[in-house]
């Protein structure tokens, strides 16, 4: 039975509160309707009345509305792909297009090639100029890298409250530079100033107390940091302090081994650096034309085709380049001072060709049964293997680092390549390996004249060195007299 609705204006029934009248609805705009109102009935259809609240029709309508809302909401949610799922598009990795299917790849390749030609040309000119100019180039690169990395965590709002705080970072940087290069180049520096008596005594004293001087500079920077701490910037200042030391440890310390390789013989700097460049170019070209399979998620555009093709190219290039570079004394002779003149020396057995008879190892129709190879070529294979397999992980580390900071490149100083740090990530890893490999397998482990002179210059004063020189003169004079006496008898 339907209850009759009360008449308009009659009092409400007992037990029920008066329901306040709803405010009048805003008139709809032209061509539209009020949000929440019923749509106008079509021509020829009866007008539908709203169902009373609590009725079955109202409940069904609310259920359908909620399902429509949830369905529309779900349609906008992007489901993440699981690790074991395969993407339907083989040309994409982690949402980024591979080089083989990139529409703008030829334009990017042109810019990258243009910058590469300029860099290789400038590098060849510095190699021609000599060891000292290459060392200056390494120092400039280290300064640019430090600038790019210091700016990653820089906040202008915090820097305004800390005047001179940026200068503290560079204080630690140049202190590390003085310590590192003072240890690597002490012998070369003394040999350069040996002709000037006063300058020789000054440089010898600085080298003897170099460790104490560098420690005093570091402690002064430490005290400087403590005195500049401010209440509202504690966290930022300590973060910058830790960040500076991490840059010095992972970037500056590793790249400084490059300078040690230069003065051991430009061969041990030029060959590893060239192998990294060859590996980088070969990986780009193989991935550009053949890349289909993503290699690692940290670098979505790197592919297995590029990695394998670059590895084979790098190992073959290492074996051939070692034979070419080993023929020039400009590359093989070590530099014992800081001059820029031409070098002449005995290259040693490592760079002298040896005869190999292939005989039974090759078919009878093979024309070259006698080959001449340098022993250093076998060591170059180890360098090529490291440059093609291990050194690229320096680039992967840099890629993960950039993803952590949500940046594409460390800088924009090199068109098509990014910043200086983007180009030097693999070079740092390679420089350390080349130095350790040379000291472990190439450099002689017995006492040499250079090693003894280095210890004399580092540990003896000028008067002690002069006394040693006089005693050696007397000993050699007595030996000469004894030889003459024996010849007379």
């Amino acid at each position: 039975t339907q209850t009759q609705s009360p008449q308009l204006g009659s009092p409400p029934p007992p037990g029920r509160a008066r329901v306040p009248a709803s405010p009048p609805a805003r008139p709809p705009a032209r061509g539209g309707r009020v949000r929440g109102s019923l749509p106008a009935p079509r021509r020829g259809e009866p007008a539908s009345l709203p169902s009373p609240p609590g009725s079955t029709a109202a409940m069904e309508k609310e259920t359908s509305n909620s399902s429509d809302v949830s369905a529309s909401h779900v349609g906008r949610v992007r489901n993440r792909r699981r690790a074991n799922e395969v993407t339907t598009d083989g040309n994409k990795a982690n949402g980024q297009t591979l080089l083989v299917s990139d529409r703008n790849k030829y334009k990017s390749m042109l810019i990258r090639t243009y910058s590469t030609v300029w860099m290789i040309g400038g590098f060849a000119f510095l190699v021609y100029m000599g060891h000292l100019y290459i060392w200056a180039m390494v120092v400039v690169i280290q300064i640019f890298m430090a600038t790019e990395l210091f700016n990653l965590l820089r906040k202008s709002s915090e820097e305004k409250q800390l005047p001179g705080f940026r200068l503290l970072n560079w204080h630690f940087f140049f202190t590390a530079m003085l310590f590192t290069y003072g240890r690597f180049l002490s012998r070369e520096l003394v040999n350069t100033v040996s002709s000037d008596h006063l300058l020789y005594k000054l440089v010898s004293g600085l080298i003897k107390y170099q460790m104490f001087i560098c420690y005093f500079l570091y402690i002064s920077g430490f005290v400087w940091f403590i005195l500049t701490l401010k209440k509202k910037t504690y966290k930022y200042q300590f973060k910058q302090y830790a960040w500076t030391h991490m840059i010095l440890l992972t970037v500056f310390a590793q790249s400084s081994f490059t300078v040690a390789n230069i003065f051991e013989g430009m061969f041990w700097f030029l060959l590893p650096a060239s192998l990294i460049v060859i590996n980088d170019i070969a990986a780009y070209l193989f991935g550009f034309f053949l890349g289909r399979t993503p290699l690692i998620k940290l670098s979505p555009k790197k592919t297995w085709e590029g990695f394998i093709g670059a590895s084979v190219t790098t190992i073959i290039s290492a074996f051939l380049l070692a034979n070419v570079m080993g023929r020039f004394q400009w590359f093989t002779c070590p530099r014992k001072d800081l001059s820029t003149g031409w070098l002449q020396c005995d290259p040693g057995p490592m760079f002298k060709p040896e005869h190999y008879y292939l005989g039974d190892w090759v078919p009878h129709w093979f024309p070259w049964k006698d080959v001449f190879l340098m022993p250093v070529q076998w060591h170059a294979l180890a360098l090529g293997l490291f440059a093609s397999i291990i050194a690229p992980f320096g680039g992967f580390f840099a890629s993960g680092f950039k993803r952590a900071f949500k940046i594409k490149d460390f800088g924009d100083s090199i068109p098509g390549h990014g910043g200086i740090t983007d180009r030097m990530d693999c070079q740092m890893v390679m420089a350390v390996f080349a130095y350790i490999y040379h000291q472990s397998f190439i450099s002689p482990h017995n006492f040499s004249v250079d090693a003894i002179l280095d210890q004399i210059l580092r540990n003896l004063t000028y008067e002690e060195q002069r006394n040693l020189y006089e005693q050696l003169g007397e000993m050699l004079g007595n030996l000469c007299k004894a030889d003459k006496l024996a010849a007379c008898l």
Side-chain angles (χ1 to χ4, degrees):
T1 58
Q2 296 181 358
T3 57
Q4 187 175 2
S5 60
Q7 298 292 332
L8 185 63
S10 59
R16 290 187 179 181
R18 181 185 298 272
V19 178
S22 59
R26 181 179 297 179
R30 180 178 296 180
R33 59 187 180 88
V34 179
R35 184 178 179 180
S37 61
L38 295 176
R42 297 181 180 178
R43 182 176 298 180
E45 294 182 358
S48 59
L49 297 177
S51 302
S55 62
T56 305
M59 294 175 64
E60 292 178 353
K61 184 176 181 180
E62 291 176 0
T63 305
S64 62
N65 290 339
S66 62
S67 63
D68 292 340
V69 172
S70 61
S72 63
H73 177 69
V74 171
R76 291 192 297 266
V77 174
R78 184 177 63 182
N79 295 325
R80 294 185 177 180
R81 182 175 59 86
R82 295 181 180 178
N84 56 356
E85 294 180 357
V86 181
T87 56
T88 57
D89 189 1
N91 293 332
K92 291 186 177 182
N94 296 336
Q96 296 192 17
T97 308
L98 298 175
L99 281 175
V100 72
S101 58
D102 191 358
R103 295 181 179 180
N104 298 324
K105 65 178 182 178
Y106 289 103
K107 181 180 179 181
S108 175
M109 181 182 183
L110 182 62
I111 298 174
R112 193 183 183 98
T113 304
Y114 182 77
S115 301
T116 302
V117 170
W118 274 100
M119 287 191 294
I120 293 177
F123 180 72
F125 175 74
L126 292 175
V127 169
Y128 171 78
M129 293 300 295
H131 304 67
L132 189 62
Y133 291 90
I134 300 177
W135 176 31
M137 178 197 70
V138 173
V139 172
V140 172
I141 289 175
Q142 289 176 332
I143 293 175
F144 272 98
M145 292 172 62
T147 302
E148 293 174 354
L149 295 174
F150 283 152
N151 291 333
L152 283 182
L153 292 183
R154 184 177 182 182
K155 295 181 180 179
S156 57
S157 58
E158 303 289 346
E159 294 284 344
K160 292 180 180 178
Q161 304 178 23
L162 302 170
F165 187 74
R166 179 61 54 183
L167 187 61
L168 181 61
N169 294 337
W170 290 109
H171 172 80
F172 285 119
F173 178 83
F174 286 107
T175 300
M177 180 180 293
L178 179 63
F179 176 78
T180 304
Y181 291 144
R183 304 293 293 181
F184 281 150
L185 304 178
S186 59
R187 184 186 63 187
E188 289 78 6
L189 184 59
V190 169
N191 292 337
T192 305
V193 300
S194 58
S195 58
D196 191 330
H197 175 71
L198 180 61
L199 193 59
Y200 177 80
K201 291 184 65 175
L202 177 62
V203 172
S204 300
L206 290 176
I207 291 175
K208 183 177 181 180
Y209 300 106
Q210 180 234 1
M211 184 176 294
F212 177 80
I213 294 172
C214 293
Y215 180 75
F216 178 78
L217 290 174
Y218 177 81
I219 287 297
S220 64
F222 175 76
V223 174
W224 182 3
F225 169 75
I226 298 299
L227 295 178
T228 55
L229 289 175
K230 290 190 176 182
K231 186 175 182 180
K232 295 183 179 180
T233 58
Y234 287 158
K235 185 176 181 180
Y236 175 77
Q237 288 179 279
F238 277 100
K239 185 187 296 184
Q240 287 289 331
Y241 184 80
W243 179 241
T244 301
H245 284 70
M246 195 194 80
I247 292 173
L248 297 179
L249 180 63
T250 60
V251 176
F252 180 80
Q254 294 188 72
S255 58
S256 297
F257 284 93
T258 304
V259 179
N261 295 334
I262 293 172
F263 288 90
E264 290 290 346
M266 202 181 295
F267 178 92
W268 302 107
F269 158 74
L270 189 59
L271 180 64
S274 301
L275 294 180
I276 293 297
V277 174
I278 291 172
N279 183 265
D280 191 16
I281 295 176
Y284 181 79
L285 293 178
F286 277 97
F288 186 88
F289 293 105
L290 304 175
R292 291 292 189 279
T293 310
L295 175 62
I296 189 170
K297 292 182 179 180
L298 289 175
S299 297
K301 291 189 177 182
K302 288 183 172 60
T303 60
W304 275 105
E305 292 80 3
F307 182 79
I308 296 174
S311 299
V312 175
T313 305
T314 304
I315 294 174
I316 296 175
S317 301
F319 190 77
L320 299 178
L321 277 177
N323 187 282
V324 175
M325 294 182 182
R327 300 174 184 270
F328 300 94
Q329 293 187 6
W330 183 246
F331 296 148
T332 59
C333 293
R335 173 69 72 179
K336 299 181 180 180
D337 54 18
L338 300 180
S339 62
T340 58
W342 291 99
L343 293 174
Q344 290 183 355
C345 67
D346 182 13
M350 192 63 62
F351 296 98
K352 293 180 179 179
E354 296 180 354
H355 176 259
Y356 292 90
Y357 179 69
L358 300 182
D360 300 333
W361 295 89
V362 294
H364 65 278
W365 51 264
F366 192 76
W368 299 286
K369 295 185 181 296
D370 295 313
V371 295
F372 292 89
L373 300 176
M374 298 180 182
V376 75
Q377 290 183 256
W378 307 113
H379 295 283
L381 290 177
L383 295 177
L385 193 65
F386 186 89
S388 59
I389 297 179
I390 306 300
F393 281 86
F396 301 152
F397 176 82
S399 298
F401 198 83
K402 289 183 285 188
R403 283 180 172 270
F405 284 89
K406 299 180 180 179
I407 57 176
K408 182 180 180 181
D409 296 313
F410 287 103
D412 54 357
S413 54
I414 307 176
H417 294 266
I420 298 293
T421 311
D422 295 284
R423 290 297 90 209
M424 295 294 115
D425 45 13
C426 300
Q427 293 284 1
M428 294 185 296
V429 180
M430 191 66 195
V432 178
F433 175 76
Y435 177 81
I436 295 175
Y437 188 89
H438 179 270
Q439 296 296 320
S440 302
F441 301 102
I442 307 298
S443 180
H445 295 279
N446 55 351
F447 287 102
S448 62
V449 176
D450 293 335
I452 295 174
L453 286 177
D454 185 48
Q455 294 295 324
I456 292 172
L457 295 173
R458 185 178 294 277
N459 299 313
L460 299 182
T461 62
Y462 177 75
E463 288 75 14
E464 293 172 342
Q465 295 174 18
R466 187 173 181 177
N467 187 18
L468 176 63
Y469 173 76
E470 293 175 354
Q471 292 182 13
L472 287 175
E474 293 178 0
M475 293 173 59
L476 293 176
N478 294 332
L479 289 176
C480 291
K481 292 178 181 179
D483 292 338
K484 291 179 180 179
L485 181 60
C488 293
L489 294 175

